[in-house]
């Protein structure tokens, strides 16, 4: 009896992943690396995809069809982060790093992608992570190879918030801002997680 029950449990455990995986299917654009995805909070059918080659793609039908949206920076640029400003979705932030070595970039559009600029404070920085404060969308934090940077004016100007030259506070791969208190920031490096309250 025990072995019959065990066999039944094993069979069910085997079928669960198959049933779950059946709900997934691939969608274009094909031939590139999909490193970042974001949807427009005012129009969830609009999805942006960040890829290699400095390329952004757009879908306006929930991922059924894709077309080029923007080409920014160099052909070595790999986009890692895309964020729509939920208070004004015409403002979009994208950031990435150069696959050929050091360097990268941060770009912002205020007119839904018709024009883009690259603020001087992060120009050429290898950006691995980007976050916006839920309680104040003017506050952004960027994780770069050489430290964390914060903007208090919607990405126009940036200041380093980690000590320069610190041997441990570098190589940031992830970042998050407390949804209620933007002074509290969490960040992950290649070797450790970090937190600041001020």
């Amino acid at each position: 009896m025990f072995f019959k029950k065990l066999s039944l449990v094993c069979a069910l455990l085997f079928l669960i992943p198959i049933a779950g995986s059946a709900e997934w299917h691939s969608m274009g654009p094909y031939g590139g690396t999909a490193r970042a995805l974001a949807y427009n909070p005012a129009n969830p059918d609009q999805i942006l995809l960040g890829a290699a080659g400095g390329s952004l793609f757009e879908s306006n039908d929930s991922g059924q069809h894709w077309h080029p949206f923007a080409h920014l920076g160099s052909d070595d640029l790999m986009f890692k982060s895309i964020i729509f400003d939920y208070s004004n979705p015409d403002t979009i932030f994208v950031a990435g790093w150069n696959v050929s070595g050091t360097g990268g970039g941060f770009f912002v559009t205020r007119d839904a992608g018709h024009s883009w600029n690259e603020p001087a404070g992060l120009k050429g920085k290898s950006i691995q992570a980007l976050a916006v404060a839920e309680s104040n969308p003017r506050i952004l934090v960027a994780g770069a190879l050489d430290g964390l940077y914060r903007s208090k004016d919607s990405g126009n100007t940036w200041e380093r918030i980690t000590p320069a030259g610190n041997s441990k506070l570098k190589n940031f791969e992830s970042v998050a801002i407390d949804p209620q208190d933007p002074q509290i920031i969490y960040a992950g490096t290649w070797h450790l997680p970090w937190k600041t309250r001020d």
Side-chain angles (χ1 to χ4, degrees), residues 88-112:
N88 177 17
D90 283 348
T91 296
I92 306 167
F93 309 101
V94 296
W97 58 284
N98 282 347
V99 296
S100 62
T102 59
F106 169 82
F107 303 87
V108 60
T109 178
R110 312 266 181 206
D111 56 11

Side-chain angles (χ1 to χ4, degrees), residues 36-49 57-63 66 69 82-93 109-114:
L37 285 166
Y39 72 91
N40 183 339
N43 175 18
D45 288 337
Q46 183 192 19
I47 304 171
L48 294 185
L49 181 150
F57 295 90
E58 178 187 41
S59 172
N60 288 304
D61 55 10
S62 300
W66 295 87
F69 184 69
I82 305 170
I83 295 177
F84 282 87
D85 181 338
Y86 61 85
S87 66
N88 177 17
D90 283 348
T91 296
I92 306 167
F93 309 101
T109 178
R110 312 266 181 206
D111 56 11
H114 295 289

